[in-house]
């Protein structure tokens, strides 16, 4: 086999593998879209063709679910969690990288070790803390545990290593205080890092299920993920309605990702502008 044939064979294998992985990734979304157009019986039978029950499923979903309320609850939690997490974690990442002390690395290592603790081990202590604070069945109880994210702190510190130290030194010479350097120089320069972190945090907060399930106890405070779960776990679940709800719940995260995908790629590559 000559070099040309080898390259062609390699390209066929590579593109075939990539195409297979793409198909496996996209298939659940295609199945979800097709399922939204079919009745529950057709979905159980495994029908993989478009049906005629889309209007009925949409009407049933909005009849059974107070959609504006649950979407507002999810949006409020996701927006608050994203804003507070980015503010706190970026400050922490900036501080860990820019300020030196004898115990800095030890504290940072202890922070990273918390990533090894499963959330299941923290649920009971967190629930007791929120109960004593009178925050059970409130959205604040959902947001507070997610603000100090060890992973986002780690991410910001790693990206801060690429931040030009000359900018900080020049700003100090010009008389800027540390908070001014952070706010007016660091944040604009690291905007792609913020964009990538925003997508990660927003998607995590929007799709959060276990902790809201424990702490949110009334229908007025529940999020869209909890509502879809309750629809799917009903005695006679209507899977067509569940598919409609899943599609609607997916749209905000898709919109955020596609709107900021270029900045997301730049941020994940650690680019600084």
């Amino acid at each position: 086999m000559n070099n040309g044939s080898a390259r062609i064979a390699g390209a066929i294998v590579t593109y075939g593998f990539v195409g297979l992985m793409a198909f496996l990734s996209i298939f659940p979304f295609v199945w979800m879209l097709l399922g939204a157009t079919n009745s529950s019986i057709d979905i159980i039978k495994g029908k993989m063709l478009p049906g005629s029950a889309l209007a009925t499923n949409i009407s049933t979903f909005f009849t059974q679910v107070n959609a504006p309320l649950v979407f507002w609850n999810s949006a409020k939690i996701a927006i608050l969690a994203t804003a507070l997490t980015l503010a706190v974690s970026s400050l922490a990442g900036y501080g860990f990288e820019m300020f030196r002390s004898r115990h800095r690395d030890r504290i940072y290592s202890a922070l990273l070790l918390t990533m090894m603790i499963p959330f299941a081990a923290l649920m009971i202590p967190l629930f007791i803390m929120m109960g004593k604070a009178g925050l059970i069945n409130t959205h604040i109880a959902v947001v507070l545990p997610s603000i100090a994210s060890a992973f986002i702190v780690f991410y910001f510190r790693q990206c801060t290593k690429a931040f030009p130290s000359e900018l900080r030194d020049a700003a100090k010479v010009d008389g800027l205080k540390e908070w001014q350097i952070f706010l007016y120089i660091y944040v604009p320069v690291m905007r792609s890092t913020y964009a990538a972190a925003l997508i990660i945090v927003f998607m995590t907060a929007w799709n959060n299920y276990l902790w809201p399930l424990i702490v949110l106890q009334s229908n007025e405070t529940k999020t869209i993920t909890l509502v879809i779960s309750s629809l799917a776990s009903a005695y006679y679940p209507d899977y067509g309605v569940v598919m409609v709800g899943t599609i609607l719940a997916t749209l905000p995260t898709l919109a955020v990702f596609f709107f900021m995908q270029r900045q997301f790629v730049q941020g994940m590559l650690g680019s600084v502008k």
Side-chain angles (χ1 to χ4, degrees):
M1 182 180 292
N2 55 35
N3 292 335
S5 299
R7 285 196 299 268
I8 293 174
I12 292 174
V13 172
T14 300
Y15 284 109
F17 177 77
V18 172
L20 177 61
M21 292 299 103
F23 172 77
L24 293 176
S25 300
I26 296 174
F27 176 77
F29 296 97
V30 175
W31 182 76
M32 179 176 64
L33 293 172
L34 293 175
T37 67
N38 288 295
S39 64
S40 184
I41 296 176
D42 290 333
I43 295 173
I44 294 174
K45 290 180 179 180
K47 181 181 177 181
M48 289 300 298
L49 296 173
S52 58
L54 178 60
T56 302
N57 292 334
I58 293 175
S59 176
T60 305
F61 175 80
F62 283 99
T63 300
Q64 295 181 357
V65 177
N66 187 351
L69 177 62
V70 295
F71 274 97
W72 165 244
N73 291 339
S74 293
K76 180 168 63 173
I77 290 173
I79 292 172
L80 283 175
T82 301
L84 293 175
T85 301
L86 290 184
V88 173
S89 299
S90 62
L91 280 168
Y94 177 85
F96 274 120
E97 182 60 27
M98 294 299 182
F99 299 104
R100 303 185 181 276
S101 67
R102 186 172 57 180
H103 303 293
R104 180 189 67 171
D105 292 334
R106 293 180 181 178
I107 297 173
Y108 184 68
S109 298
L111 176 66
L112 294 183
L113 284 175
T114 62
M115 297 173 62
M116 301 176 63
I117 303 174
F119 183 75
L122 304 176
M123 290 189 302
I124 295 177
L126 276 175
F127 187 83
I128 294 173
M129 290 172 59
M130 296 304 166
K132 290 183 177 180
L135 297 177
I136 297 298
N137 200 37
T138 65
H139 294 153
I140 297 177
V142 180
V143 173
L144 283 179
S146 64
I147 291 177
S149 172
F151 172 75
I152 301 301
V153 172
F154 165 78
Y155 173 68
F156 268 103
R157 187 188 181 186
Q158 293 303 114
C159 292
T160 303
K161 294 180 184 294
F163 180 76
S165 59
E166 296 82 4
L167 291 178
R168 184 167 178 256
D169 296 337
K172 284 186 174 182
V173 172
D174 291 338
L176 269 68
K177 298 181 180 179
E178 200 65 48
W179 69 269
Q180 293 174 315
I181 296 174
F182 176 83
L183 190 61
Y184 299 125
I185 298 178
Y186 176 83
V187 173
V189 169
M190 306 294 290
R191 60 184 181 273
S192 59
T193 301
Y194 275 91
L198 184 149
I199 292 175
I200 295 172
V201 176
F202 182 86
M203 293 179 67
T204 302
W206 181 271
N207 295 321
N208 194 6
Y209 172 74
L210 182 57
W211 179 238
L213 177 66
I214 295 171
V215 78
L216 299 179
Q217 301 176 349
S218 67
N219 292 329
E220 290 73 20
T221 58
K222 289 186 176 181
T223 61
I224 185 61
T225 53
L226 299 182
V227 171
I228 293 175
S229 175
S230 65
L231 291 174
S233 60
Y235 193 74
Y236 290 108
D238 190 334
Y239 293 109
V241 175
V242 173
M243 294 300 174
V244 169
T246 305
I247 292 172
L248 294 176
T250 306
L251 293 178
T253 55
L254 286 177
V256 171
F257 177 78
F258 284 117
F259 181 73
M260 306 184 70
Q261 60 178 330
R262 179 175 298 178
Q263 292 85 348
F264 175 78
V265 173
Q266 293 174 352
M268 296 306 294
L269 292 176
S271 61
V272 175
K273 291 186 177 181

